[in-house]
Amino acid sequence: MDTSAGFVIAGAIGGVIGAMVTYLWLFSERKQRTVEEPTPVVPPGAELVLSVLSSSAVLIDSADTVVQASAPAFAVGLIADDRLEPPELMALVRRVRRDGQVREAEVALQPKRGTTSYIHARVAPLTSRLILVLADDRTREHRVESIRRDFVANVSHELKTPVGALTLLAEAVGEAKDDPEAVARFSSRMHVEAERLTRLVQQIIDLSRLQNDTLSDEAATVRVDDLVAEACEHSATEAEHKQIEIATSVEPGLLVHGDRSELHAAVSNLVENAVTYSPDGSRVSVIAHRDDDDVRLTVTDNGIGIPNDELDRIFERFYRVDPARARTTGGTGLGLSIVKHVAASNGGTVEVWSEPGLGSSFTLVLPAHQNDIDEETA
């Protein structure tokens, strides 16, 4: 084979190799371009589904990162810096990821500011890479349950006192049956304890009826001057005993719309408290007047007053500023709580001003009623 033929063969081989390399490169490029895009982490439509859920919803990927969440999840405090809060909820997610079992738990959220909230969380696997967390805010239910437990405990404690006293007094009467003077003394004390027990039971009944803070089906037009007169008459005996003057000033023609028995209980409680906690020989004033669209009924006394740091708690059930004095006066700690719920049930509010040593002023604010009472009863 001559030299020229060798060059031709070498050139042909080189051309074939070059063509093959070029073909392989172009094939590789086309292959890369035609590779399917990876499946997205969040399934299509997931964001729309999460947005319409009433529960707080969060999607967690395999790196424990929040990849999608509904607005309520942020509002309740489930997410911080793309991470799920609190740690115990994140631990629940990891357990579900390991075994694929759906789990539920009650979790407390303790923000840096504000009060603790409580959620019921349900954690389930959504895909091989995603975990779904659904959370319902149970703070209100938790608070109601806590109030119920406290209420039952307080009622049990409060009932034990007069019931126990009546039991002891009954035994004392039995032992002193041959001493008429002792029997009269013990029976008088039994009467006092029985009245205290009756008042406590009635206030518990009143309070249970007012829990929903909704207007009673028995609402009607009520004259404010009648409410004030009845409330003052209710405390007249105690006021006379303590030589306390009850002064009234009621603007003529004032009307409100509400449950008469509830309103009577509220105003009577305010006047009774004023008389109870005022010193002998002092003065209690009851003033009612129209203020734009409201009726403002204010009861003022010159009693012991309430410390400023106690004002936020005086409307709590069974709360007493001075427990020792309350035991002496027979107070149940339910009166102001009833007033607060009566105001809310009838569309009003309660305002309070007090200064230790100077006295207190409670104002029941109710919507004024325009209809004539005769028209409504016609």
Side-chain angles (χ1 to χ4, degrees), residues 23-34:
Y23 174 77
L24 291 172
W25 181 80
L26 291 173
F27 179 79
S28 176
E29 284 292 307
R30 287 197 302 270
K31 185 72 173 178
Q32 290 181 12
R33 285 197 297 268
T34 57

Side-chain angles (χ1 to χ4, degrees), residues 90-316:
M90 194 65 249
L92 193 65
V93 168
R94 295 190 181 105
R95 290 175 60 193
V96 171
R97 182 181 292 118
R98 282 197 302 268
D99 57 23
Q101 298 295 318
V102 178
R103 287 184 168 84
E104 298 182 17
E106 297 285 339
V107 181
L109 299 176
Q110 297 178 326
K112 294 180 180 179
R113 296 180 181 178
T115 58
T116 301
S117 57
Y118 300 87
I119 62 168
H120 176 79
R122 182 178 176 84
V123 183
L126 186 63
T127 68
S128 60
R129 301 173 62 186
L130 292 177
I131 299 294
L132 173 64
V133 179
L134 294 176
D136 293 307
D137 190 351
R138 298 289 178 83
T139 304
R140 184 177 183 278
E141 290 83 349
H142 190 277
R143 185 177 297 114
V144 169
E145 178 62 20
S146 177
I147 291 173
R148 186 194 66 80
R149 288 195 303 267
D150 291 343
F151 183 69
V152 171
N154 283 325
V155 166
S156 301
H157 175 74
E158 293 297 329
L159 288 175
K160 283 172 60 179
T161 302
V163 170
L166 286 172
T167 301
L168 293 175
L169 288 170
E171 293 176 358
V173 168
E175 294 175 356
K177 58 184 178 181
D178 296 328
D179 186 349
E181 185 177 340
V183 169
R185 184 171 67 255
F186 291 140
S187 63
S188 176
R189 291 180 57 186
M190 289 177 68
H191 182 70
V192 171
E193 293 297 334
E195 285 186 338
R196 179 181 178 185
L197 181 59
T198 301
R199 183 166 61 254
L200 175 59
V201 171
Q202 184 59 52
Q203 288 187 331
I204 292 172
I205 294 172
D206 291 342
L207 197 56
S208 65
R209 291 173 49 236
L210 294 166
Q211 290 304 301
N212 294 328
D213 290 346
T214 56
L215 186 61
S216 169
D217 294 334
E218 300 178 1
T221 301
V222 181
R223 296 183 184 275
V224 177
D225 54 356
D226 289 343
L227 287 177
V228 172
E230 292 167 3
C232 293
E233 182 179 358
H234 175 78
S235 297
T237 302
E238 179 67 14
E240 183 178 354
H241 175 72
K242 299 178 66 175
Q243 297 182 332
I244 292 176
E245 176 191 0
I246 301 180
T248 63
S249 175
V250 181
E251 184 178 319
L254 291 181
L255 300 174
V256 294
H257 186 74
D259 187 301
R260 182 183 179 84
S261 62
E262 292 179 1
L263 295 172
H264 168 74
V267 179
S268 294
N269 275 321
L270 290 178
V271 175
E272 182 179 353
N273 280 353
V275 171
T276 299
Y277 292 101
S278 292
D280 294 359
S282 59
R283 187 173 186 267
V284 170
S285 65
V286 184
I287 300 174
H289 69 280
R290 179 75 175 263
D291 182 18
D292 293 332
D293 295 329
D294 295 324
V295 170
R296 298 179 63 88
L297 193 157
T298 303
V299 179
T300 305
D301 62 60
N302 303 115
I304 59 176
I306 304 167
N308 189 59
D309 58 351
E310 305 269 6
L311 288 177
D312 291 337
R313 300 195 60 190
I314 58 175
F315 293 103
E316 295 179 12

